[in-house]
Amino acid sequence: RQYPTVESLVSRCHDSCSGLNSLVLECAGLPPSIESSNEASEMSLATHRAGLHFGVTHGISNALRMAIVIASTTTTSTSTSAVGSEGSYNTTNTAGRIVLPQDLCEKYSLLRPRYVLSALAMGAEDCKAKLKLVVKDMVDIARDELRLGEEEMNAAQDVLNSGQQMQYKRAREAFLP
C-alpha cells in the first residue's frame, strides 16, 4: 500500500502496531488505567502512551525494512523479493512495490515510488541520493517517536513508589526485552 503523506503512514502505524502494544501491556498485567491509586493510574497511562509511540516507531521501521529490502534487491539482482505484511518473504504480492510516503518523495523530487525501482535498477545515482534523503526523514520520525516513548516511560517511573517497581519492570521488559 502506498501512503500519500507521512501522516497517513504514521496513522496506519498507530492503528496497527500501537494497538498491539496495548494488548501486550494488558497481557503483562498493565491495564490502561488502574482504579486503586492515582499514582498507579498515572504510571499505567504513561506506559500505554509510551506503547503508542513505540508502536509508531515499530511500524515505520517495518515500512523501511520492506523498502530497503526491495531497493537493495533491485540494485543487486533481477529478482525482487520483499518482506510481506505478515513478516514472511513473499515474492508475488510485494514484488515491485516500495513503501515511501508520496509527500516525502515530492519534497526531494524523487520519482513516484513505483518508478523508483526501475530507476535504481538502471543505476540512477541521483535517484539513490534522493532515496537516502527520504529514508533519513522516515528514520528521523521514527527516532522522534522512540524519544517520546522513552520520555513517557521515564514519566511512568517518576511516579512509582517501591511497591510499584515490579509493575514498571514488567512494562519496560514488554517493550525493550
Side-chain angles (χ1 to χ4, degrees):
R1 171 172 183 196
Q2 293 300 326
Y3 297 93
T5 63
V6 172
E7 290 79 21
S8 63
L9 174 61
V10 168
S11 176
R12 174 70 176 151
C13 295
H14 182 274
D15 292 346
S16 58
C17 300
S18 296
L20 182 60
N21 282 347
S22 290
L23 181 61
V24 167
L25 285 170
E26 287 186 45
C27 290
L30 293 164
S33 67
I34 299 171
E35 302 295 328
S36 61
S37 76
N38 287 340
E39 290 159 351
S41 182
E42 258 185 77
M43 189 275 301
S44 185
L45 289 172
T47 303
H48 277 266
R49 285 191 304 266
L52 297 177
H53 292 295
F54 292 148
V56 172
T57 300
H58 179 76
I60 292 172
S61 297
N62 282 344
L64 284 169
R65 245 190 316 273
M66 188 168 103
I68 300 308
V69 167
I70 293 172
S72 65
T73 307
T74 300
T75 58
T76 59
S77 71
T78 57
S79 69
T80 54
S81 298
V83 178
S85 61
E86 288 76 40
S88 60
Y89 281 91
N90 181 340
T91 58
T92 57
N93 294 336
T94 57
R97 294 185 190 165
I98 189 167
V99 179
L100 300 172
Q102 185 59 39
D103 61 344
L104 283 182
C105 292
E106 290 171 2
K107 177 180 176 181
Y108 294 107
S109 302
L110 185 65
L111 301 168
R112 289 190 158 296
R114 66 185 225 187
Y115 299 115
V116 169
L117 296 176
S118 298
L120 290 173
M122 292 187 282
E125 291 299 319
D126 64 323
C127 182
K128 192 184 294 186
K130 292 174 183 178
L131 178 60
K132 286 180 182 180
L133 294 172
V134 170
V135 168
K136 182 190 177 305
D137 277 9
M138 291 176 71
V139 168
D140 289 345
I141 293 164
R143 283 185 178 151
D144 286 345
E145 290 290 332
L146 181 62
R147 181 188 49 76
L148 291 169
E150 288 172 342
E151 287 175 6
E152 290 290 352
M153 289 301 289
N154 290 337
Q157 187 176 19
D158 290 345
V159 299
L160 297 179
N161 61 38
S162 60
Q164 298 165 323
Q165 288 293 330
M166 185 53 98
Q167 193 174 25
Y168 173 79
K169 185 177 179 206
R170 284 195 318 241
R172 194 84 161 150
E173 289 171 353
F175 292 130
L176 306 168

